Amino acid sequence: MAGNFYELLGRGTPGDPGFVAKIYWVPRDPEVAKTEALTVTARYLGDARQPTVTVGFGGDGTWQSSGTGTGYFWASGTPMPRKGRWRLTATALGVWGCFKVTA
């Protein structure tokens, strides 16, 4: 599960200096976020010549707690260097999921 896409609104836009998409990622087994790393790859879909952005999170105690005691998740700040359509792919423990976003 991934979210809060509302956070993509009103906090600058892709292409702004220092812009990152703040998205949380919840694994099927929330305990995994405490010990394993997450890799997020952002690929710009408007031009295949654009470089892919890959960033890693967690695996070093940087996970977040839900605050309700129900589990853990990775909080990410994924760079998007320009406006347009992106495919974000999250991978942990060899399992992956992806979605497309226009930002």
Side-chain angles (χ1 to χ4, degrees), residues 33 35-38 56-63 74:
T35 59
E36 302 300 325
L38 174 77
F57 305 95
D60 58 2
T62 56
W63 45 268
W74 296 282

Side-chain angles (χ1 to χ4, degrees), residues 15-59:
D16 289 350
F19 174 82
V20 293
K22 296 184 145 264
I23 300 172
Y24 64 77
W25 305 86
V26 182
R28 180 175 287 181
D29 175 1
E31 292 294 315
V32 168
K34 286 177 68 174
T35 59
E36 302 300 325
L38 174 77
T39 301
V40 178
T41 302
R43 179 167 192 83
Y44 184 71
L45 299 176
D47 182 351
R49 295 172 294 175
Q50 291 295 311
T52 298
V53 178
T54 302
V55 287
F57 305 95

